[in-house]
Amino acid sequence: MRASADQLQQIAVASLEKRGAPHENAWLQAELLVEAELRGLSSHGLQRLPTLLKRIERGLADPTTSGIRQWRRQALVSIDGERGLGPVVMMAAMSELTLAVHSCGIAIAAIRNANHLGMLAYYAEAAALAGRIGIVMSTSEALVHPYGGTRAMLGTNPIAIGIPTDAKPFVLDLATSIVSMGRIHSHALRGEPIPAGWAVDATGRPTTDPDAAKLGAIAPFGGAKGYGLGLAIELFVASLAGSEMAPEVRGTLDETDPATKGDLLILIDPAAGAANTAALTRYLECLRSSCPAEPGRPVAIPGDGSHTRRAEALSAGVEVPDALFNKLAALAAA
Amino acid sequence: MRASADQLQQIAVASLEKRGAPHENAWLQAELLVEAELRGLSSHGLQRLPTLLKRIERGLADPTTSGIRQWRRQALVSIDGERGLGPVVMMAAMSELTLAVHSCGIAIAAIRNANHLGMLAYYAEAAALAGRIGIVMSTSEALVHPYGGTRAMLGTNPIAIGIPTDAKPFVLDLATSIVSMGRIHSHALRGEPIPAGWAVDATGRPTTDPDAAKLGAIAPFGGAKGYGLGLAIELFVASLAGSEMAPEVRGTLDETDPATKGDLLILIDPAAGAANTAALTRYLECLRSSCPAEPGRPVAIPGDGSHTRRAEALSAGVEVPDALFNKLAALAAA
């Protein structure tokens, strides 16, 4: 069925409030999920909500806290998320960095013990809209095999980068896996094979069977380089947040374990740099108007597709599977 | 011919000193180039020296300066490299950040108007050996086409990340192009075709002819994701350093123009974070001993290959083409 963003937001907020989330926290968590739906990223959308609600019911997620912030240096804050909701802890971290980034020009928050952040673009965009360069990284359960390896040893380790321009911010958001586990599940649901090179099965053999891939590991994107980047994020986050590394990470997908991954947020004040946002905008326009590989398919800037889909979905509504909508409506009432 | 690292270092130092470089600066610049040779990265090695010497003779590179450092915020320093040697300006920036990273936990230097940095791994490793997480980025002439595009609109935009562990540091160093222009030149010299997907020709058509590729553009690594990362680095560096963006960048490869690319250095104190270097080392060992895709080819950590090649070359010497060695010897004498 098709639902409006407002309708989905109301249902999600109600279901969170029913489980003890203060209105503000419920609103933010719901917005994160609905924004993912609006941008066509349903793998990070409302399908995550039932698990999160169960986690709240079981005490694995505490919707009332935004974590305990401890400043270790003038521009470095360590945050114990106290099992808080990912978006609540992260947005509190962003606020907490405000004064430090103003005086130091750059500041970093290292977060452990918080629940799933969802779509990282949300935070990078929020930072850029506030005039900051924002870099967000997160780790996850072991889902990705090393380049030249066969076992799930790394998280999908996404990174998002938001940079202010004169027009809408530049927002990049990518996982360091070649594809998300969500898309492999989608193929499995539709009974379609996955492309060669996406995954290996539980024995480490390359497979095009999505059900076998679910038990195996996803390839890193971009071969050795993407593997290197994902591994750097794994180490960088763990090194500062004190979170677990992939084989020991639990709690972003399950209903049984505390979340042991980590998150980083770096904010930088471009006004302390060159403050050349007009030049950035001109350059991006040059890129968009540069000669495409396929006539009629202009060169895109990361985030362009999300932006268009969001605008369409805001007016036309979001397509949500009936079963999911009914489940959410029931959870909002119960 | 085969030469020892010491011999190459002496020749490079002499050629730089002959052109007015103070001993310390000559030593550092030479070490950068020789270290690249030792690690098998000859594209960033001594073949770059004749161009650099010509740039010094023409006033495009000033071997006496380490740049002018201006603190804009407590942890953000803007550096005008004053046409200095890349390694000299970058290592001075690293020293300059010492106090700020101690008090703030994180600090950043944004550099413009400095010459080519060479192999970024050098700086990331230096930072990690000093107990800091180091992130280095740099931009370059337009050599890379956007994903879905056909024109050279982005630099090769490398990034290096160094992270201290209990054993040797983790050091990742990657360009965001699928391959370096240096390797395409090598194929051209040997008269060998390049693999499909590496490059397009001057008209934007995919090509396997390395000579045609030299006039065209290299693909980004990892498709849309690698393109996004390269573009983010392009904008991030320009935004803080006030450097030009790729189509306007000159001066890292030629003997005619001032260097207009930019560089960033971010240092972070992991002791202000989790200080869990032993855990990082254990995790990396788990990765190395995890089941490989090809029996007998263990999973590698970025930097492992460089490390091995360096150890071998230190004892066995470095293979340098006769013509290059003779040219360098002549430049050191003249």
Side-chain angles (χ1 to χ4, degrees), chain B residues 118-303:
Chain B
M119 177 184 66
L120 297 195
Y122 182 89
Y123 312 102
E125 184 174 81
L129 287 171
R132 307 305 189 194
I133 296 170
I135 303 174
V136 190
M137 287 171 235
S138 190
T139 55
S140 82
E141 279 85 352
L143 289 168
V144 177
H145 66 73
Y147 178 75
T150 58
R151 304 294 173 206
M153 296 292 292
L154 297 113
T156 53
N157 299 0
I159 178 170
I161 302 175
I163 300 178
T165 77
D166 261 13
K168 69 181 160 69
F170 170 83
V171 179
L172 174 74
D173 181 358
L174 63 90
T176 51
S177 51
I178 199 166
V179 68
S180 68
M181 189 50 96
R183 277 188 69 191
I184 287 178
H185 280 263
S186 302
H187 279 258
L189 281 173
R190 294 197 306 271
E192 289 172 8
I194 56 172
W198 274 18
V200 297
D201 66 18
T203 68
R205 262 182 284 255
T207 185
T208 57
D209 173 358
D211 287 306
K214 282 157 64 178
L215 305 172
I218 312 172
F221 92 96
K225 292 188 181 197
Y227 156 58
L229 183 67
L231 177 52
I233 292 173
E234 188 82 45
L235 298 170
F236 187 25
V237 173
S239 177
L240 291 171
S243 47
E244 298 289 354
M245 281 160 278
E248 309 301 327
V249 170
R250 305 283 181 278
T252 71
L253 303 164
D254 61 64
E255 298 176 354
T256 51
D257 289 286
T260 55
K261 52 80 188 173
D263 314 306
L264 292 183
L265 169 67
I266 299 173
L267 292 182
I268 304 162
D269 183 1
N276 54 351
T277 49
L280 302 191
T281 306
R282 278 196 306 276
Y283 170 66
L284 291 175
E285 282 312 311
C286 286
L287 260 182
R288 283 196 184 91
S289 58
S290 75
C291 185
E294 286 180 42
R297 292 199 60 177
V299 169
I301 304 299

Side-chain angles (χ1 to χ4, degrees), chain A residues 72-76 102-104 148 150 153 170 175 177 225 227 235-236 238-239 242 268-269 272-274 276 283 291-293 300, chain B residues 72-76 102-104 148 150 153 170 175 177 225 227 235-236 238-239 242 268-269 272 274 276 283 291-293 300:
Chain A
R72 307 248 183 206
R73 301 284 189 278
Q74 269 182 271
L76 190 153
H102 185 75
S103 61
C104 298
T150 58
M153 295 292 293
F170 170 84
S177 51
K225 293 188 180 199
Y227 157 57
L235 298 170
F236 187 24
S239 175
I268 304 162
D269 183 1
N276 55 352
Y283 170 67
C291 186
Chain B
R72 306 246 183 211
R73 301 283 191 279
Q74 270 183 269
L76 189 153
H102 186 75
S103 60
C104 296
T150 58
M153 296 292 292
F170 170 83
S177 51
K225 292 188 181 197
Y227 156 58
L235 298 170
F236 187 25
S239 177
I268 304 162
D269 183 1
N276 54 351
Y283 170 66
C291 185

Side-chain angles (χ1 to χ4, degrees), chain A residues 151-289:
Chain A
R151 303 294 172 206
M153 295 292 293
L154 298 111
T156 53
N157 299 2
I159 178 170
I161 302 176
I163 300 178
T165 76
D166 261 14
K168 67 183 162 70
F170 170 84
V171 180
L172 174 74
D173 181 358
L174 62 90
T176 52
S177 51
I178 199 165
V179 67
S180 67
M181 189 50 97
R183 277 187 69 191
I184 288 178
H185 280 264
S186 301
H187 279 257
L189 281 172
R190 294 198 306 271
E192 288 173 9
I194 56 171
W198 274 18
V200 298
D201 65 20
T203 68
R205 262 182 284 257
T207 185
T208 57
D209 173 357
D211 286 307
K214 283 157 65 178
L215 305 172
I218 311 172
F221 92 97
K225 293 188 180 199
Y227 157 57
L229 183 68
L231 177 53
I233 292 173
E234 189 83 43
L235 298 170
F236 187 24
V237 172
S239 175
L240 292 171
S243 46
E244 299 289 353
M245 281 161 279
E248 308 301 326
V249 170
R250 305 284 181 276
T252 71
L253 302 163
D254 60 63
E255 299 177 353
T256 51
D257 289 286
T260 54
K261 51 82 190 175
D263 315 305
L264 293 182
L265 169 67
I266 299 173
L267 293 182
I268 304 162
D269 183 1
N276 55 352
T277 48
L280 302 191
T281 306
R282 279 197 305 275
Y283 170 67
L284 291 176
E285 283 311 311
C286 285
L287 259 181
R288 283 196 182 91
S289 58

